[in-house]
Amino acid sequence: DRKRRRSRTTRHQTRQQHRRGRPLLEILLHPVPRQPCGGEPDEPERRATTEQPDPTIPWRRPQTTQRTDDTHRRHAYSPPTTPPGTGTLASHSGDDFSHDYWMRFNIISKFVFLGLGSQVTSFTRLSVHRRFRPSLGRFFMLSSTARSGERGSLEHLCTVSLEACERLTPLISTIYRQILDGEDGLKKSKTDQSSFTIADGLTQRLIVESLYSQVAFRGIVGEEEDAADDDDGGDGGWYRVQGLEVPDDLRPLVDSTRSKIASLSPALAADSYRNLTVFVDPIDGTREFSSGRGEQCSICIGFADARGRAVAGVVYRPLTRPPTWAAGALDEGYSQFSLGETRRESGFLTTNGSISPFLEALIEELGLERVRSGGAGNKMLMLLESSLASSEDGGGPCLYIQDRGVSRWDTCAAEAILRAFGGDLAKLSGEEAGEETHYTYLETDCNLDFVPGLATCTKYNSRTNDALGKRVNDVEAFKPYSNLCGMIAFGKEFNTDDGRQTLKEAIRKASKRVPPSYD
């Protein structure tokens, strides 16, 4: 009987507080002390304790009402003017804001949302498809990609590829952490002194041999052509990558990732992409990946048609929090991205290292600030972020121009995506000559965009070291997929007659001062 009376008293007190304006969630978090059975709270003591504004209610300020005898005061709660979670912390002073209460409210609200399960997942997927909803993308660490488009379309190919990138992320993140921890045998230098890690080799093999294993493409070109070590045969070949041994603790994750990627392959129409050539850069920005700047790395997958035009692409940054990406196919009117907060900074995007004298002169002609960052795919996403911010609420110009050191697998996906969003990526030599020309993306044994006497041989673009530092007229001296004509990338704000004319004029003036290196 005593317990029943106590329970009835508690329910009575809750109803009384709710009638006075206190919300139920507030009552549950801050119940008043239980009173003796059948009794009411001591009114004078309660009034005395509530003379000051209640500091446990962050989003509403108690209003004091005065009785007719002017001797007692009590609080009358007004309806909240700002719902919880939408106000700014800066709007609350120390007297009327409780950090402890706010943290408890956030914890409860997150459990409520996460309890919705599949409904939240589907809503999150819808929110990023062709729309920019950064708040949901940052809050929910759930699946950010959803398949769309008809089976056999470029859009469907891109969305399945995005899902594969998502499934690759745990493996890439684990390798990245182990490299940062200083574990041996995970990276090395290639013959041209560029960096290579087991993440490069494994990612390319998983994309080419697992994801696209059942698709009849015209050709597949990857940066790490010799990623596989098949001496052991069977599954054992997956544990050696260009002479590097996959650590024992990573092998279960490699196997599970391989299974997850292979399960996506049947979703792709096997005979619908016979005219497409695929260009894969498994870890674009390997130097940054192996030196602790993983947020500047990306997976680049580009698709080109039978004429060598970049028609679709995916660029995915697996190590940002959450992962950020963009995809597009202009011919199908498809463009999709999840980039978090767009950047409003303007600038001239360059590599983290040294740049040519021509680029220094061009930066002066354009009057832009140099912004250092790694990876061609990452800089394309930075350019897209700035372009989107500029179109939404104003922002300065952002450009990515390079006269050295990039290849087809760096630019195929980037070109397709920029064009889908209204921008462009073209040859620097074409802009210098007043023409609009693009690279040719086809599987080949010789460089299809070679111009006699234009490019300088370097250890990055030449087949041999016989003519380093010289401009040669022999196409056989160069690697087939080196971009020998430089590149210029910009958003839709520059893709106008006036915008292009401004760029051509600046390039012409800078070229008169210092010619482009084209190396």
Side-chain angles (χ1 to χ4, degrees):
D1 292 342
R2 182 176 302 172
K3 289 182 179 179
R4 283 196 296 271
R5 288 196 300 271
R6 184 174 299 163
S7 177
R8 284 197 300 269
T9 302
T10 301
R11 290 197 300 270
H12 170 73
Q13 293 175 359
T14 299
R15 286 194 296 269
Q16 289 295 104
Q17 295 174 67
H18 189 48
R19 291 193 188 102
R20 292 169 184 160
R22 292 192 74 193
L24 290 176
L25 180 60
E26 180 185 313
I27 297 169
L28 293 174
L29 289 173
H30 300 282
V32 297
R34 183 178 290 113
Q35 301 298 321
C37 297
E40 288 289 329
D42 183 28
E43 190 71 14
E45 181 179 350
R46 184 183 68 82
R47 291 174 187 150
T49 59
T50 56
E51 282 290 334
Q52 300 299 322
D54 190 349
T56 64
I57 307 172
W59 71 88
R60 62 168 76 195
R61 188 184 300 274
Q63 296 178 346
T64 302
T65 58
Q66 190 171 14
R67 289 187 176 180
T68 55
D69 56 5
D70 201 25
T71 57
H72 297 92
R73 296 174 183 268
R74 69 181 182 86
H75 290 300
Y77 289 88
S78 62
T81 57
T82 306
T86 61
T88 59
L89 297 181
S91 63
H92 305 290
S93 65
D95 293 335
D96 63 353
F97 179 76
S98 169
H99 178 72
D100 180 62
Y101 180 94
W102 187 256
M103 293 299 294
R104 276 183 280 177
F105 181 86
N106 277 336
I107 291 172
I108 291 175
S109 63
K110 287 180 182 179
F111 274 109
V112 170
F113 279 110
L114 292 177
L116 296 177
S118 60
Q119 287 83 355
V120 173
T121 304
S122 61
F123 180 73
T124 305
R125 289 179 174 180
L126 288 174
S127 67
V128 298
H129 179 54
R130 302 174 190 252
R131 291 181 177 271
F132 179 52
R133 299 295 178 101
S135 58
L136 286 177
R138 292 196 304 270
F139 185 84
F140 296 107
M141 293 298 293
L142 302 172
S143 176
S144 60
T145 60
R147 295 183 201 173
S148 61
E150 296 182 1
R151 195 168 186 265
S153 65
L154 294 173
E155 179 178 346
H156 187 74
L157 178 60
C158 286
T159 55
V160 173
S161 300
L162 279 170
E163 193 170 348
C165 293
E166 191 175 59
R167 298 186 182 191
L168 283 165
T169 297
L171 176 62
I172 295 172
S173 301
T174 302
I175 296 173
Y176 178 66
R177 287 195 299 270
Q178 291 188 359
I179 290 176
L180 292 185
D181 291 340
E183 295 194 21
D184 297 329
L186 299 177
K187 61 180 181 178
K188 68 175 186 177
S189 295
K190 295 189 287 188
T191 55
D192 61 0
Q193 302 305 309
S194 60
S195 299
F196 175 84
T197 70
I198 62 171
D200 293 83
L202 287 174
T203 300
Q204 177 159 313
R205 288 197 66 189
L206 288 166
I207 292 173
V208 175
E209 299 180 26
S210 294
L211 177 62
Y212 299 146
S213 61
Q214 301 181 28
V215 184
F217 288 111
R218 175 172 180 156
I220 299 180
V221 179
E223 180 180 13
E224 315 302 340
E225 288 295 341
D226 301 321
D229 272 355
D230 295 326
D231 295 339
D232 296 332
D235 291 342
W238 283 88
Y239 304 143
R240 286 183 60 82
V241 183
Q242 286 196 11
L244 298 179
E245 193 79 22
V246 176
D248 292 340
D249 59 337
L250 269 180
R251 295 185 179 187
L253 183 55
V254 171
D255 293 336
S256 62
T257 305
R258 181 183 173 194
S259 176
K260 292 176 182 177
I261 298 298
S263 67
L264 294 174
S265 185
L268 296 171
D271 298 323
S272 298
Y273 306 112
R274 291 186 177 274
N275 292 326
L276 294 184
T277 303
V278 187
F279 283 81
V280 180
D281 191 345
I283 302 292
D284 178 50
T286 305
R287 182 181 303 171
E288 285 72 24
F289 183 85
S290 57
S291 60
R293 290 174 287 189
E295 72 282 354
Q296 299 178 12
C297 306
S298 60
I299 303 171
C300 300
I301 307 175
F303 306 97
D305 63 10
R307 293 183 293 166
R309 295 185 309 123
V311 293
V314 168
V315 176
Y316 187 96
R317 286 187 292 212
L319 298 179
T320 57
R321 297 187 179 181
T324 48
W325 49 267
L330 178 62
D331 293 347
E332 296 183 2
Y334 165 67
S335 58
Q336 185 179 7
F337 67 97
S338 179
L339 296 175
E341 291 184 340
T342 52
R343 306 182 183 198
R344 292 165 178 79
E345 61 185 8
S346 61
F348 191 102
L349 301 173
T350 73
T351 179
N352 288 312
S354 61
I355 59 176
S356 68
F358 164 75
L359 289 185
E360 293 178 349
L362 184 57
I363 291 173
E364 292 181 10
E365 291 293 340
L366 291 168
L368 296 177
E369 180 181 355
R370 180 183 177 185
V371 179
R372 301 170 186 259
S373 191
N378 169 60
K379 286 193 277 288
M380 186 280 297
L381 290 182
M382 293 174 65
L383 175 62
L384 185 57
E385 288 168 342
S386 180
S387 178
L388 291 169
S390 178
S391 62
E392 286 179 359
D393 45 26
C398 189
L399 295 168
Y400 176 32
I401 301 176
Q402 187 65 281
D403 61 343
R404 57 168 53 163
V406 290
S407 302
R408 301 292 198 282
W409 42 73
D410 296 313
T411 57
C412 183
E415 180 178 327
I417 294 170
L418 283 175
R419 295 184 68 192
F421 281 89
D424 202 1
L425 187 153
K427 295 179 183 178
L428 175 62
S429 61
E431 295 293 325
E432 184 184 12
E435 304 172 354
E436 180 182 342
T437 55
H438 298 87
Y439 279 103
T440 305
Y441 300 94
L442 291 173
E443 190 174 23
T444 180
D445 291 329
C446 65
N447 200 303
L448 299 177
D449 294 286
F450 171 75
V451 178
L454 178 67
T456 302
C457 284
T458 68
K459 61 183 178 180
Y460 301 110
N461 64 19
S462 63
R463 294 180 187 265
T464 65
N465 295 331
D466 297 338
L468 294 182
K470 300 178 181 179
R471 296 181 185 267
V472 298
N473 296 319
D474 185 9
V475 66
E476 295 298 328
F478 295 95
K479 294 178 180 179
Y481 302 113
S482 294
N483 288 1
L484 302 177
C485 304
M487 55 153 286
I488 176 171
F490 46 84
K492 63 181 180 180
E493 63 274 13
F494 276 104
N495 199 14
T496 62
D497 292 340
D498 291 340
R500 281 185 174 270
Q501 185 59 39
T502 299
L503 294 177
K504 290 176 182 179
E505 189 66 22
I507 292 171
R508 184 184 61 81
K509 291 181 179 179
S511 299
K512 285 185 176 181
R513 295 169 56 184
V514 185
S517 298
Y518 294 125
D519 56 359

